[in-house]
Amino acid sequence: MLKIKNLFLKILIILTIFHFSLKNEAYAKKQNYIIYTVKKNDTLFKILKRYKLNPIFGKNGSLKRTLDLNPKKKKSKGNLIFPREKIKIPAFKTRKGKNIIAIDNTQEEKEVQKKQPILILSGILEKNAIILKWDISPESSEYKYDVKRAFVEENEFKIIEENLTIKEFKDKDLFLEKEYKYIVTVKDGNGFILNSNEFKIVYKPLFYTSLKGMLNDKKIHLEWEGLEDNSNIKYILLRKFKNEDEFKPILINTFENTFSDLNITGNKIYQYQVKAINADKELGMSNIVEIPSFLLAYHENNLKLNIATAYYTYHEYNTTNNTDNVLYTSLSPTLGLSYLKNWNENFATYSSLELSYLDFLNSSYYNISGNPVLLYGLNLGLNYQLMKYLHIHEKINIGKDVIYKPYSNNSNLESIYTFNNSLYLGIHFYKTKLLDIFTEIGYIASLSLTNTNGFGNGYEINFSLLKGFENFDFTTKIYYLNKNIITSDVTSNESNFGLIAEITFPIGEN
């Protein structure tokens, strides 16, 4: 009997607790809050975010309302909450003036989210218009759309098209270079209204910004977008040098939108602009492009003058009397004149004559017979451009050189003639239309023409900078050369390093 009585008492207590719990929940909902049992690793921020009680922060945020509902948590700002502890959180939030129950993952909340359409506006720039397009999800055949526009600096939008049933609009009534902003409003017969995002764009039609040009060999190729398709619009191409004030027409009344300017000269900077006309009425001007022309080094016919200065060192070993001597020159000038022929964009040949004045003033053997001496050489060469940053340079030289023959009473410099074949690999570090920076590494094979038994070899390294000016090209070159000349009685090692300045002038018509 006692056991039955205790069981009945336990059931009564459980029912009483459950009753009061339901009563508290009902009361809580009436008071716009719900009772939440804290879980492990919960924070107030996580709880409010889970229930989507936005905004969380701020004067009227859900965090402040939660702390107001839980006065004991105010001191700790809600940082001290414990698992299985029951706290009050707001049961309602405000969205655009409507109260929505904030129950975690309820079907009601999901349905509200599904019913809210999303309207996204985008646009592109076409030849003479701005094309606006938008997407809405979910779609409805009842929707109609109004397009609104304003200048970016303005605050008030104005309707430029209304009651559209398609999701696209072409705006042609525009001012060049102006920045516009757009919104689209969707509406239905029940009074539903929703605005899209704001879309901004600067009106620069392709024709006005599309003119492009590039140097191709010894001509400048130009192209531009047409203002409109299938129209009677014609174009006038204008040109001037950069330092001139006025453009002049070089192509009149063409329907084409490409042109190659063959009438150009080297080392100039050209500017171009296109004018669009219809029945002699000017419709607009394109952008201006600036194109530097070619270096005069790539002109069809060129004359090149070079002035150089170098130090020479001759290391002479005489096999007849077993003597070993070193001779040094003073600063030796060289003068050269070349004719350069460009056969096409990648292949060129040249011929040159060079004179060098050697004086062994710095040598201990200054008072030797035949000093000073004038050397000369004839050069034939070619350049072949393998690719933009790589070329091959071949040079053949026939010239006069010297060797030193010391004897007991008759020490003298003896003139000999040599044949030299040099093959260089050129590497361009930086190459533009008016500037070229490159280095060359070459192998030299030498043959003594005075003594048929004589053969030698060597190498050369140089670094060059070629810069184009208005009427000429200027090249500076630093080089180091080392080669052997072998005869029947003397093995001579010649080394020299120096600085060369070259000026290239065009000759004849390009």
Side-chain angles (χ1 to χ4, degrees):
M1 186 69 180
L2 183 60
K3 289 182 179 181
I4 295 173
K5 185 177 179 180
N6 289 337
L7 179 61
F8 177 79
L9 185 60
K10 288 179 180 180
I11 292 172
L12 183 62
I13 293 171
I14 291 172
L15 290 174
T16 303
I17 293 172
F18 181 72
H19 171 74
F20 279 105
S21 176
L22 290 177
K23 188 175 180 181
N24 286 338
E25 288 290 338
Y27 178 79
K29 288 185 178 181
K30 288 182 181 179
Q31 297 300 317
N32 290 345
Y33 66 81
I34 61 172
I35 305 296
Y36 178 83
T37 303
V38 178
K39 301 173 183 176
K40 188 178 180 181
N41 299 323
D42 265 350
T43 65
L44 273 186
F45 177 80
K46 286 182 180 179
I47 297 167
L48 298 175
K49 187 177 180 182
R50 184 182 304 133
Y51 277 74
K52 299 179 182 178
L53 293 170
N54 296 317
I56 293 177
F57 302 101
K59 291 183 179 180
N60 298 313
S62 57
L63 179 60
K64 180 180 181 303
R65 289 188 284 144
T66 301
L67 294 176
D68 290 339
L69 292 170
N70 301 272
K72 292 182 179 180
K73 300 295 179 183
K74 266 194 173 183
K75 291 182 180 179
S76 67
K77 297 182 181 179
N79 291 329
L80 298 178
I81 56 175
F82 309 98
R84 294 189 297 276
E85 179 184 12
K86 295 186 182 297
I87 60 172
K88 301 174 183 177
I89 63 171
F92 296 89
K93 64 176 180 176
T94 301
R95 178 186 289 171
K96 294 184 179 179
K98 297 180 180 180
N99 289 332
I100 299 173
I101 298 176
I103 306 301
D104 188 16
N105 294 325
T106 62
Q107 186 65 30
E108 182 180 355
E109 178 72 6
K110 291 179 181 178
E111 289 300 322
V112 169
Q113 291 176 357
K114 285 181 181 178
K115 291 177 182 177
Q116 183 68 25
I118 299 174
L119 181 60
I120 299 175
L121 172 64
S122 61
I124 57 172
L125 190 64
E126 285 206 345
K127 291 181 180 179
N128 61 342
I130 294 174
I131 307 297
L132 299 171
K133 295 183 179 181
W134 53 92
D135 290 306
I136 188 166
S137 178
E139 294 187 355
S140 173
S141 58
E142 297 180 359
Y143 289 156
K144 292 184 179 180
Y145 304 95
D146 293 345
V147 180
K148 300 178 182 179
R149 183 187 71 191
F151 293 118
V152 166
E153 61 270 18
E154 295 177 347
N155 294 321
E156 185 178 353
F157 282 90
K158 296 179 181 178
I159 296 176
I160 58 174
E161 191 71 25
E162 58 184 341
N163 296 326
L164 286 170
T165 55
I166 59 172
K167 293 177 290 184
E168 183 175 328
F169 176 70
K170 181 183 285 190
D171 189 7
K172 286 183 146 186
D173 185 20
L174 299 161
F175 292 99
L176 189 63
E177 303 288 341
K178 275 289 189 180
E179 186 174 9
Y180 293 91
K181 56 185 179 181
Y182 297 87
I183 59 171
V184 170
T185 299
V186 61
K187 56 189 179 182
D188 63 15
N190 299 320
F192 169 75
I193 295 176
L194 176 67
N195 288 329
S196 73
N197 57 297
E198 188 177 289
F199 172 72
K200 295 180 181 179
I201 190 170
V202 178
Y203 179 56
K204 288 184 177 180
L206 288 180
F207 165 74
Y208 298 95
T209 60
S210 67
L211 179 59
K212 297 176 183 177
M214 63 178 293
L215 180 68
N216 183 9
D217 195 2
K218 289 183 278 292
K219 62 181 180 290
I220 292 176
H221 181 72
L222 300 151
E223 58 183 44
W224 60 93
E225 289 284 341
L227 187 60
E228 289 184 7
D229 294 328
N230 302 318
S231 68
N232 294 320
I233 294 177
K234 298 179 182 180
Y235 303 98
I236 298 174
L237 180 62
L238 307 168
R239 186 187 74 180
K240 73 179 183 69
F241 294 123
K242 184 178 180 180
N243 56 354
E244 291 181 339
D245 295 328
E246 186 178 347
F247 280 97
K248 296 178 182 179
I250 60 171
L251 182 65
I252 299 175
N253 295 338
T254 179
F255 290 102
E256 303 296 327
N257 56 0
T258 62
F259 180 74
S260 290
D261 189 2
L262 305 178
N263 187 26
I264 62 172
T265 57
N267 293 0
K268 298 288 186 181
I269 298 178
Y270 290 92
Q271 291 182 335
Y272 297 88
Q273 191 173 27
V274 175
K275 179 191 296 184
I277 59 172
N278 190 350
D280 297 328
K281 179 183 177 183
E282 182 179 321
L283 301 178
M285 302 292 291
S286 77
N287 57 303
I288 297 174
V289 295
E290 188 173 286
I291 313 291
S293 65
F294 52 86
L295 286 162
L296 287 176
Y298 303 118
H299 192 278
E300 187 173 341
N301 297 286
N302 294 284
L303 198 62
K304 184 182 292 185
L305 176 67
N306 74 67
I307 301 172
T309 183
Y311 283 102
Y312 288 76
T313 301
Y314 287 88
H315 188 174
E316 311 283 354
Y317 177 69
N318 192 310
T319 56
T320 302
N321 56 16
N322 198 28
T323 58
D324 193 355
N325 302 288
V326 179
L327 281 70
Y328 303 95
T329 70
S330 57
L331 197 62
S332 303
T334 299
L335 184 66
L337 189 64
S338 306
Y339 167 70
L340 177 66
K341 171 73 172 180
N342 285 294
W343 298 95
N344 57 43
E345 186 178 3
N346 298 314
F347 181 68
T349 59
Y350 68 90
S351 58
S352 66
L353 178 66
E354 292 182 347
L355 300 174
S356 300
Y357 180 81
L358 267 63
D359 190 345
F360 291 93
L361 179 65
N362 290 339
S363 175
S364 57
Y365 304 94
Y366 175 68
N367 295 316
I368 54 179
S369 177
N371 182 53
V373 63
L374 182 67
L375 303 183
Y376 49 85
L378 175 66
N379 301 303
L380 299 174
L382 63 87
N383 280 288
Y384 182 74
Q385 196 75 30
L386 295 174
M387 55 188 70
K388 184 176 181 181
Y389 295 106
L390 204 65
H391 77 259
I392 292 175
H393 173 196
E394 171 80 10
K395 181 174 75 171
I396 296 173
N397 166 267
I398 298 175
K400 179 184 175 183
D401 214 321
V402 293
I403 58 172
Y404 176 63
K405 287 189 174 183
Y407 299 101
S408 56
N409 296 318
N410 187 24
S411 298
N412 70 310
L413 293 171
E414 182 176 309
S415 296
I416 63 170
Y417 294 90
T418 59
F419 172 85
N420 303 285
N421 185 23
S422 306
L423 179 64
Y424 301 87
L425 177 65
I427 302 170
H428 298 255
F429 301 108
Y430 183 78
K431 188 174 183 180
T432 62
K433 295 162 187 174
L434 294 178
L435 180 64
D436 194 0
I437 302 173
F438 61 95
T439 188
E440 290 182 328
I441 304 170
Y443 171 76
I444 306 170
S446 298
L447 180 67
S448 172
L449 300 178
T450 305
N451 187 320
T452 55
N453 296 324
F455 178 79
N457 58 64
Y459 63 90
E460 180 182 345
I461 301 172
N462 63 63
F463 179 82
S464 301
L465 186 150
L466 171 59
K467 177 72 175 74
F469 293 92
E470 186 171 351
N471 298 311
F472 63 90
D473 287 339
F474 181 75
T475 304
T476 57
K477 178 188 293 186
I478 300 172
Y479 75 94
Y480 175 78
L481 181 146
N482 189 298
K483 69 176 182 177
N484 297 313
I485 302 172
I486 301 172
T487 67
S488 58
D489 52 357
V490 174
T491 299
S492 176
N493 176 259
E494 173 196 340
S495 64
N496 68 80
F497 67 92
L499 177 66
I500 301 175
E502 295 179 338
I503 301 175
T504 304
F505 302 94
I507 54 176
E509 294 295 328
N510 187 41

